[in-house]
């Protein structure tokens, strides 16, 4: 049991200096600020861009856009993945416009220049007509740094960047425990939003809004009696900020108030969760708080024999609690023992008051379970193949909780336009927002070299 002992301890991350500079509304509205941010920050950070499962075979490719840039990720013959700017080096035509596909060669639709999956030009019509010489074998697609981790494809426009492992810092070890590369996507919705990308990340960098926005709490509500699946009390929530600029928040599974009826009987959904793991809810009548540890023990004991092979590596707390991460700059994720809630915001190509927002869900693949998978948009069959849905904001639901967040994003963006807004006034539990904005400014001010960790 030595390994189980080790996994019980979650190490804290170091304290960070946050600064106290103003965060004003124009950071969310100004074209000039967006340009500075793109030139100095977006071009120097690792970005989670694709998923390896989209690229099973050599020649498979996936396109993803970030602000004004578009990238191609391409599976290579040797099993690796390379990434390129999606632009033909003849006269700048984008090479592809679809989301994904398979090629022997990328053939530009303007004059038929053809590039192999490893980026080399190997055909150009009238190749003998170029005064600088035949471009074939000479001209290549422009490559960006590309690595894979946790089943995802990550890119960095700065070819002089640190390794992805170094950039991710403690995230690498935390996430390695879950075998995320084996998990499968069960929900994938992407929409445009009428707000700056930072409105989205700010929101996922705090849980202060959760009682108000998601639990209909009012000034009269007793905050310690809020009904919900997680404990939102900031005093009992753990916050960590990493040297590398990423954040972690751990909220306990909220098996207290709201988990019982007036007589103290455990009610749904907790009752079913307990039964699923061989625990009789009646035994915990009147003491729902104790179910958290009981569930952890049951999952620790029964998980491996039920095919949850990663359970041997994850912490006890991970069986019940919400581990919420934000990875600088634009990726927020809640990691559950069997669910990976993927939330990402990318800048709009030209408009700082819009962004592209992804809400996806990945689930573990236990060997012996056939039960449906619970996602942010409802239950789905474990065998289901889920299509990526792309739509304009409001055309479809993104799931109840995220729809509630989106309604706020849209209104907040209009507030940032007001000359009456004098800048944020942040609580300690919103420190992750301050840290994020400090990092953005440090990048813009050139304090963050391409190599090395952010200044603290
Ligand atoms: S721009 Fe691509 S072949 Fe001319
Ligand atoms: Fe929220």
């Amino acid at each position: 049991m030595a390994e189980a002992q080790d996994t019980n301890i979650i190490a804290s991350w170091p304290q960070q200096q946050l600064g106290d500079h103003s965060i004003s509304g124009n950071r969310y509205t100004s074209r000039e600020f967006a340009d500075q941010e793109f030139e100095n920050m977006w071009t120097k950070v690792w970005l989670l861009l694709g998923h390896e499962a989209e690229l099973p075979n050599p020649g498979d490719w996936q396109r993803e856009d970030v602000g004004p840039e578009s990238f191609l990720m391409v599976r290579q013959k040797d099993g690796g993945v390379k990434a390129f700017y999606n632009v033909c080096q003849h006269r700048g035509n984008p090479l592809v416009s679809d989301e994904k596909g398979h090629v022997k060669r990328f053939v530009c639709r303007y004059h038929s220049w053809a590039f192999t999956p490893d980026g080399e030009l190997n055909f150009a019509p009238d190749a003998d007509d170029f005064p600088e010489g035949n471009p074939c074998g000479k001209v290549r697609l422009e490559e960006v740094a590309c690595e894979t981790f946790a089943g995802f494809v990550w890119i960095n426009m700065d070819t002089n960047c640190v390794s992805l492992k170094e950039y991710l810092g403690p995230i690498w070890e935390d996430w390695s425990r879950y075998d995320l590369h084996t998990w499968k996507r069960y929900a994938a919705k992407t929409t445009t939003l009428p707000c700056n990308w930072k409105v989205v990340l700010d929101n996922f960098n705090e849980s202060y809004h959760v009682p108000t926005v998601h639990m209909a709490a009012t000034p009269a509500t007793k905050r310690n009696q809020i009904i919900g699946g997680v404990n939102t009390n900031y005093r009992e929530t753990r916050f960590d900020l990493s040297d590398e600029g990423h954040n972690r928040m751990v909220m306990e599974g909220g098996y207290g108030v709201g988990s019982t009826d007036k007589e103290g009987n455990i009610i749904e959904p907790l009752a079913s969760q307990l039964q699923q793991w061989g625990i009789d809810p009646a035994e915990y009548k009147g003491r729902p708080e104790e179910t958290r540890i009981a569930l952890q023990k049951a999952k620790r004991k029964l998980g491996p024999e039920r095919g949850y092979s990663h359970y041997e590596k994850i912490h006890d707390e991970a069986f019940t609690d919400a581990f919420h991460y934000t990875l600088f700059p634009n990726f927020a994720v809640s990691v559950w023992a069997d669910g990976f809630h993927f939330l990402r915001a990318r800048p709009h190509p030209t408009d700082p008051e819009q962004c592209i927002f992804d809400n996806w869900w990945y689930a573990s693949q236990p060997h012996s379970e056939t039960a449906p998978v619970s996602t942010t948009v409802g239950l789905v069959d474990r065998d289901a193949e889920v299509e990526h849905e792309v739509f304009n904001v409001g055309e479809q639901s993104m799931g109840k909780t995220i729809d509630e967040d989106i309604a706020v994003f849209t209104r907040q963006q209009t507030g940032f336009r007001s000359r009456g807004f004098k800048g944020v006034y942040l609580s300690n539990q919103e420190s992750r927002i301050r840290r994020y904005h400090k990092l953005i400014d440090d990048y813009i001010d050139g304090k963050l070299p391409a190599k090395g960790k952010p200044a603290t």
Side-chain angles (χ1 to χ4, degrees), residues 421-439:
F421 176 63
K422 295 301 178 194
V424 302
Y425 189 91
L426 294 176
S427 62
N428 268 327
Q429 61 191 295
E430 297 169 290
S431 296
R432 289 167 292 161
I433 294 175
R434 191 171 290 293
R435 166 84 160 147
Y436 247 54
H437 283 262
K438 180 178 187 299
L439 281 178

Side-chain angles (χ1 to χ4, degrees), residues 168-185:
L168 291 179
I171 305 288
W172 186 281
E173 203 245 316
D174 271 23
W175 287 14
S176 292
R177 294 172 181 271
Y178 293 80
D179 296 336
L180 292 167
H181 58 282
T182 65
W183 294 23
K184 183 176 153 188
R185 191 168 73 176

Side-chain angles (χ1 to χ4, degrees), residues 245-437:
H246 315 303
N247 302 322
R248 181 177 67 185
M249 173 183 73
V250 185
M251 285 191 283
E252 288 190 356
Y255 306 113
V257 176
S259 304
T260 56
D261 63 16
K262 284 200 178 103
E263 285 76 48
N265 296 301
I266 308 278
I267 57 173
E268 295 298 343
L270 178 56
S272 292
Q273 284 178 39
L274 294 172
Q275 280 161 344
Q276 190 194 342
W277 289 95
I279 301 167
D280 180 2
E283 279 186 32
Y284 289 87
K285 182 175 177 180
R287 45 193 184 101
E289 306 81 6
E290 293 175 32
T291 60
R292 177 170 170 267
I293 299 296
L295 260 177
Q296 290 176 2
K297 286 189 173 153
K299 288 186 173 183
R300 171 74 66 213
K301 182 159 174 263
L302 299 176
E305 71 194 48
R306 291 186 180 186
Y308 295 84
S309 51
H310 60 290
Y311 278 17
E312 294 188 344
K313 292 184 284 187
I314 65 178
H315 302 103
D316 285 351
E317 291 91 327
F319 291 133
T320 50
D321 301 349
F323 280 66
H324 185 73
Y325 296 85
T326 38
L327 272 57
F328 188 82
N330 70 328
F331 184 47
V333 54
S334 290
V335 185
W336 301 87
D338 296 291
F340 187 87
H341 190 182
F342 175 116
L343 298 156
R344 180 177 61 170
R346 285 171 286 155
H348 185 272
T350 55
D351 184 357
E353 299 207 59
Q354 293 189 62
C355 67
I356 320 297
F357 176 57
D358 303 295
N359 176 22
W360 300 351
W361 185 275
Y362 291 83
S364 68
Q365 300 293 293
H367 308 310
S368 58
E369 293 274 325
T370 53
V373 175
S374 175
T375 76
T376 178
V377 289
L379 288 180
V380 285
D381 244 6
R382 190 164 289 279
D383 295 331
E385 293 298 329
V386 175
E387 282 298 312
H388 183 196
E389 297 172 81
V390 183
F391 48 89
N392 290 317
V393 65
E395 287 177 355
Q396 281 189 43
S397 171
M398 294 287 264
K400 178 178 173 295
T401 307
I402 299 298
D403 286 348
E404 290 165 349
D405 286 320
I406 288 174
V408 176
F409 300 160
T410 309
R411 291 195 299 269
Q412 193 184 10
Q413 181 69 31
T414 67
F416 283 141
R417 287 187 210 127
S418 169
R419 70 184 63 213
F421 176 63
K422 295 301 178 194
V424 302
Y425 189 91
L426 294 176
S427 62
N428 268 327
Q429 61 191 295
E430 297 169 290
S431 296
R432 289 167 292 161
I433 294 175
R434 191 171 290 293
R435 166 84 160 147
Y436 247 54
H437 283 262

Side-chain angles (χ1 to χ4, degrees), residues 203-204 206-207 209-210 213-214 401-402 404-406 408-409:
N203 176 75
F204 295 130
E206 51 96 348
S207 56
H209 74 278
V210 171
V213 173
H214 303 305
T401 307
I402 299 298
E404 290 165 349
D405 286 320
I406 288 174
V408 176
F409 300 160

Side-chain angles (χ1 to χ4, degrees), residues 68-100:
E69 294 292 0
S70 176
F71 299 96
L72 289 170
M73 292 161 281
V74 193
R75 180 70 71 185
Q76 302 296 303
K77 276 196 201 126
D78 66 3
V81 179
K82 281 184 188 281
F84 308 98
Y85 290 96
N86 175 23
V87 60
C88 176
Q89 297 295 328
H90 175 222
R91 277 177 44 213
N93 192 43
L95 275 178
V96 303
S97 49
D98 290 342
E99 191 181 325
K100 60 182 183 173

